[in-house]
Each structure stands twice: as structure tokens, then as C-alpha cells.
Amino acid sequence: MSVDTYSETPKIKKLLEKESSLFQLSTTQLYYKIMGNKEGELTELGAINASTGKYTGRSPKDKFIVTEPSYKDNIHWGDINQPIDEETFLNLYAKVLDYLDTKDELYVFNGYAGSDKDTQLKLTVINELAWHNLFAQNMFIRPDSKEEASNIKPNFTIVSAPHFKADPEVDGTKSETFVIISFKHKTILIGGTEYAGEMKKGIFSVMNYLLPMQDIMSMHCSANVGDKGDVALFFGLSGTGKTTLSAAPDRKLIGDDEHGWNKNGIFNIEGGCYAKAINLSKEKEPQIYNAIQYGTILENTVVNERGAVDFDDNSYTENTRAAYPIHHIDNIVLPSKAAHPNTIIFLTADAFGVLPPIAKLTKSQAMYHFLSGFTSKLAGTERGVTEPEPSFSTCFGAPFLPLNPIKYADLLGELIDKHDVDVYLVNTGWTGGKYGVGRRISLHYTRYMVDQAIKGKLKNAEFTKDEKFGLSIPTEMEDVPKTILNPINAWSDSDKYRAQADDLIKRFEENFKKFGPEVEEIANTGGFNK
């Protein structure tokens, strides 16, 4: 699938040519605009704190893909990839552009998605809000100069009008909010929500279509590399620890959330990081804390009258965020690329408290867990989620996958085989009981276990299979209590553990039925003990 199509329409061109359209402003210029427009507040850390209003997370039920004839047969339609017809899209698109044409100022950024030049997506981002434009500059890959930016002919354009509210009865949406992707018109249309993450995840969804269509793996994962060139990938949904665990002081960060894997190795799709900020501390996560500086956008944190940020305060939401360019991290690889991975980590926050903190997976088990994508939705990540809920998100990124999940699983399986990659399941959730009864597994222990895995120190370790899941868990690790390694030992009542484990196994098996007979072999060889 070529991405060379130029996406600028006559109406977009008119907007870009307006004298009030502010192109490729610097960080300082955007700070002045943000403060002057009262869009955010300056903090003692030098970062800007902005509020996303009533929407403090993504709105997955308001996301649509346009059903254009040349693309619709490729899309895996359903609750995630919801269809909207082209005429409805074009009518709403015209309304939004007319609305933006009335604005005194618009903010325009040109950049890229993807550090691999051969598959790089050229972007134009048009924003109603200055802080959204700074967010886009932080998250996407920035041109080296304004001159380079002015020469970019975009393959895709984001049009973001958060203060434009849709009328569902007239505009064909489900609410005032909409995030619509048109592959034919190379456009992401966003309105009715100030949550800036919709721009980031919209482009990720686009890349999750374009890359696999070229047999390149696209992944919701973070990645880092050691001094010896050993590469590790960390798959997991928001809040499971991708950003935290990949920002290791003795390893260089490739990227914290979105990557591709082609014949040359791993490449970052983004130019920045979007870290959860709730309960952030300099002691526990120094790299992330130190990255929050001049140029960073904070979302929904609590700031006192002196500008001090209280990262522990969840008054607005649990889903507080920090968006910063990747160069705010000292330990990075530039350009953001590396060789083929040696180790893959699947992260899950198990709210049931029954999965082991680390387990080595066979290839079949890896395929089973990749397709299952089990974790817990954490409070605030999506609207309506107020406490952790067990959930399954295919390929650890279902909301962003336009194609059939089996396409991504097949690509990953081929790459694991070809490059002899070790795969581990790591539970960063609960132990000793389910959420509300047990406790969260210590970050200290998780860091140590992950470090041992990615440095290859578990290759020759002694493993035992747990009685319920058939997972291979280390019999001992020097700095980790045995009561944590085998989850049944962490429960005061082993019968309650078994009952809770059986309940989770049933959820896995019921969820896996949706993939049908095409993955029956994976279910039989990679599933759990009966």
C-alpha cells in the first residue's frame, strides 16, 4: 500500500493560506499563545498544565472509519472499527472546515510519523487550540527546520476542532464527539473532545493499516536497547508499565508506545512520549520525572497557586498525562531505530491477582497471549471507567487495529521464529488476592525480573509449571520472594486462589472463541491447563 497520495484539499489549502493560520510555531511562541488564550497554566517545572475538559480519556465509541469502496473490504468491521459512509463524513468534514475558517487563529504543524524513511508518513496537523499544536509537535517527529516543514506534502492530515460539537441526529455520529478516519481522503477528523491523545492514537491506527499491508509489523509497544545492542520490546495497554519499564537507566530508549518491525529491525513511529503522570515521583521514575520540563504538556494534573504540581492528586482523573519530545530523555537512540529484538515482554495488570509476576512462554503461548491481550482497564483511561476492570484487548492494542487481528498475530509469529526471540509474560498487577483484597506487585521486583529476562539471565534458569495456567515460572530469583514468584503461595487461602484462577481461565477461553476455527491450533497448544 503506497502512502504517497497528497492529502491537501482545496478547502484545507484555503485554511492554510489564511494570514491567521500560524505555521510551525516554536515552543516559546506556542507558550505565549497558550498563556495568552488562557488554555493552560505554567508550572514550577517549566511545563504547561492543560485541562482536557470533561473528556479525560479516549472516546472509543465515537471513533469511525469511512466505508470507501477501495478500502472497506480490508477493514475488520465491528464495535471497534465502526463504519460511517463517505457522504456523511464529507458533510461533517465541510462543516468543520467552515467552522475553523471563522477562527481568528489556527495552528499548523508539519511533521512525520515513523523513523523509517521508506515507510514514513508525512503529516499536516491543523489545530484549533495552541496547546494541542504543542502536543502534536511533542508526539510526532519534528522536521529539522521550518524550511523542511514548509516543503512537506502530507500523506495524511489531522483536522482537530475540539470546540465543534456534532449533532448526532444531523451529522450521523453517536454523540457530540467524533474521531473519523478516511483512508481515501487521507484525513483524520476530530471534534467535540479536548483529549489530545485522539490525535496520537488516530495516526497510530492509520499506521496499523498501512504497515501490515506492506507486511511490516506494527506494534503497541515500547522498546529499548542495551550496550551490547540487545533489543527488548514491551507490549501492554495504557497503565501496564510500558513507559516506566522501558525507561531504564542502563538501557537506551527507542520509543515508549508505538513501533514498526521491518527487515532491518525496530523503528519508532513517534517523536515523543505520552507518560501516565499519576503518582509520579523522582525517586521511582527519575527519567520520566526529569523529562517534565520546559516544552512538556501536562494534562489534568493538579497545580497549586505557586505552580507546584501534585502528581498524587487525582481530583480530575487518574489518567493524568505528560507529553514530551523524546529528547527530554537523556538515554535515547537517535534516530529512533535498532536491530531485531532479542526479548519480548507482554505486560498485563491482572486485577484478579492470579497470574505469576513473570513466566516464560512457548511460541504457541506467546501467540495465545498476544491475541488475548489480557489486562485491566485502569481508571480514567476511557470514559466511564472508574476502577480497574478485567478486559481483553487483542494484540494489546485492539482499539487501534483496523485489520483482522490474525494478520498482526501471523506477522509476529513469523518474526519470533525468524529471529529466535524469547517471550515472557509479566504481571504488573495484583498478587495475594484480587483488586481490593491483594496488593499491587512491587515495581522494584518487576524491574528486577524484567532486567533478568532481557539480559538473558533466565535462559538457563530452572522453571516449574504452575498448576492452573501451565505457565513456566522461575523456581527462584535472587531478589524476589518465592511467595511472589508462584502466585498460589501469595494467597492466604489456596482454594480461593484456584477458584479465582478457574474464573479467569473461563474468561480467556470464552474470549478466544471470537477468533473462530482459524486459531484452533493456537488455542489447543497455547491455552491453559484444563
Side-chain angles (χ1 to χ4, degrees):
M1 171 64 202
S2 171
V3 296
D4 292 334
T5 305
Y6 182 47
S7 72
E8 191 175 285
T9 67
K11 278 199 170 185
I12 289 288
K13 188 176 181 182
K14 178 187 173 186
L15 282 182
L16 296 178
E17 289 176 348
K18 287 180 62 173
E19 289 186 15
S20 57
S21 291
L22 303 173
F23 178 70
Q24 217 75 7
L25 296 187
S26 69
T27 297
T28 299
Q29 288 173 319
L30 285 170
Y31 260 49
Y32 278 121
K33 292 295 182 182
I34 293 166
M35 300 300 291
N37 298 341
K38 294 183 168 49
E39 295 178 11
E41 57 191 333
L42 187 64
T43 70
E44 285 185 343
L45 297 173
I48 290 281
N49 182 55
S51 167
T52 64
K54 68 178 180 178
Y55 299 132
T56 58
R58 290 180 293 104
S59 298
K61 294 179 181 178
D62 296 309
K63 179 182 172 185
F64 303 90
I65 297 177
V66 182
T67 56
E68 294 123 348
S70 56
Y71 296 91
K72 69 177 183 179
D73 291 342
N74 297 327
I75 304 299
H76 187 63
W77 300 108
D79 293 339
I80 290 170
N81 298 312
Q82 301 178 105
I84 193 167
D85 66 79
E86 187 175 10
E87 182 180 1
T88 300
F89 162 73
L90 289 174
N91 288 336
L92 185 55
Y93 181 52
K95 281 186 180 182
V96 172
L97 294 185
D98 287 342
Y99 165 80
L100 290 176
D101 195 25
T102 68
K103 294 290 141 182
D104 292 336
E105 291 182 336
L106 293 176
Y107 306 92
V108 182
F109 166 73
N110 279 3
Y112 310 98
S115 58
D116 177 67
K117 298 280 187 181
D118 293 337
T119 53
Q120 194 171 66
L121 202 67
K122 302 182 183 81
L123 304 176
T124 288
V125 185
I126 301 172
N127 296 115
E128 179 181 7
L129 299 176
W131 83 263
H132 275 199
N133 198 250
L134 182 56
F135 177 93
Q137 291 201 25
N138 285 350
M139 295 312 304
F140 300 124
I141 297 172
R142 295 156 293 281
D144 291 332
S145 66
K146 191 169 182 177
E147 181 182 5
E148 179 185 343
S150 66
N151 289 325
I152 289 176
K153 293 185 179 295
N155 310 124
F156 245 86
T157 298
I158 298 174
V159 179
S160 175
H163 292 167
F164 179 94
K165 312 294 185 185
D167 181 342
E169 291 187 8
V170 175
D171 298 318
T173 59
K174 291 187 174 181
S175 75
E176 65 186 8
T177 300
F178 53 91
V179 180
I180 306 175
I181 298 173
S182 167
F183 287 102
K184 176 181 175 181
H185 298 282
K186 309 297 180 188
T187 298
I188 300 174
L189 186 66
I190 303 171
T193 173
E194 293 182 49
Y195 186 66
E198 298 287 12
M199 291 185 286
K200 163 190 162 67
K201 290 305 186 185
I203 288 297
F204 187 40
S205 297
V206 169
M207 294 296 274
N208 278 329
Y209 179 91
L210 296 173
L211 293 177
M213 294 295 282
Q214 301 171 79
D215 289 327
I216 297 170
M217 182 65 184
S218 57
M219 304 171 290
H220 186 210
C221 71
S222 58
N224 64 24
V225 59
D227 292 339
K228 297 179 180 179
D230 53 305
V231 175
L233 304 183
F234 300 79
F235 284 84
L237 293 180
S238 179
T240 56
K242 291 194 315 301
T243 301
T244 299
L245 292 169
S246 59
D250 60 339
R251 297 177 66 82
K252 291 186 176 180
L253 183 70
I254 303 167
D256 88 320
D257 197 50
E258 303 171 6
H259 290 83
W261 186 354
N262 63 12
K263 63 182 181 180
N264 299 318
I266 300 300
F267 61 90
N268 192 358
I269 289 174
E270 300 183 292
C273 303
Y274 195 35
K276 289 203 77 171
I278 194 69
N279 302 131
L280 181 67
S281 71
K282 192 170 186 176
E283 294 70 33
K284 289 184 179 180
E285 299 170 278
Q287 288 203 48
I288 297 172
Y289 187 92
N290 291 333
I292 298 173
Q293 54 184 267
Y294 183 77
T296 297
I297 288 286
L298 292 171
E299 291 180 348
N300 300 315
T301 59
V302 175
V303 180
N304 69 19
E305 66 278 0
R306 299 181 61 183
V309 183
D310 185 352
F311 289 108
D312 296 327
D313 194 327
N314 63 356
S315 297
Y316 301 134
T317 177
E318 286 280 335
N319 192 36
T320 56
R321 293 277 178 171
Y324 48 85
I326 198 167
H327 62 256
H328 280 196
I329 298 282
D330 292 331
N331 253 9
I332 59 171
V333 177
L334 286 178
S336 301
K337 298 190 288 186
H340 300 286
N342 308 86
T343 309
I344 291 174
I345 306 289
F346 292 156
L347 298 166
T348 179
D350 171 25
F352 287 86
V354 291
L355 287 175
I358 189 166
K360 189 172 184 180
L361 304 180
T362 64
K363 181 195 169 185
S364 293
Q365 288 174 327
M367 300 295 287
Y368 186 84
H369 282 275
F370 183 64
L371 279 169
S372 297
F374 169 70
T375 190
S376 302
K377 289 181 183 177
L378 300 182
T381 304
E382 291 182 9
R383 287 163 53 191
V385 179
T386 57
E387 65 178 39
E389 297 174 358
S391 67
F392 295 89
S393 185
T394 306
C395 307
F396 296 100
F400 324 119
L401 305 181
L403 304 175
N404 190 311
I406 296 170
K407 173 68 173 178
Y408 306 96
D410 286 346
L411 282 171
L412 183 65
E414 291 168 8
L415 289 164
I416 288 173
D417 265 348
K418 185 175 182 179
H419 300 288
D420 192 24
V421 185
D422 289 330
V423 185
Y424 294 87
L425 179 69
V426 172
N427 175 20
T428 63
W430 283 259
T431 185
K434 64 181 181 179
Y435 171 78
V437 177
R439 64 191 182 280
R440 197 82 189 250
I441 295 171
S442 165
L443 179 60
H444 169 77
Y445 293 140
T446 301
R447 282 192 191 279
Y448 177 79
M449 289 183 282
V450 167
D451 186 66
Q452 294 292 292
I454 62 181
K455 288 181 176 175
K457 294 186 178 180
L458 296 183
K459 282 183 178 292
N460 300 316
E462 183 180 341
F463 289 85
T464 185
K465 287 194 175 183
D466 79 284
E467 66 173 76
K468 281 295 177 185
F469 299 102
L471 295 171
S472 296
I473 57 178
T475 55
E476 61 180 0
M477 295 181 76
E478 186 177 345
D479 287 346
V480 182
K482 287 187 177 181
T483 52
I484 290 179
L485 285 175
N486 195 332
I488 194 171
N489 296 331
W491 284 59
S492 58
D493 187 326
S494 57
D495 288 337
K496 286 185 177 180
Y497 165 81
R498 292 185 180 97
Q500 192 72 75
D502 286 338
D503 180 67
L504 181 57
I505 288 170
K506 287 178 184 176
R507 291 175 185 251
F508 264 92
E509 292 173 345
E510 189 61 33
N511 172 72
F512 215 77
K513 290 178 183 177
K514 68 188 178 189
F515 300 113
E518 195 171 348
V519 294
E520 186 174 350
E521 184 179 350
I522 293 173
N524 291 334
T525 58
F528 300 127
N529 292 343
K530 299 293 186 287

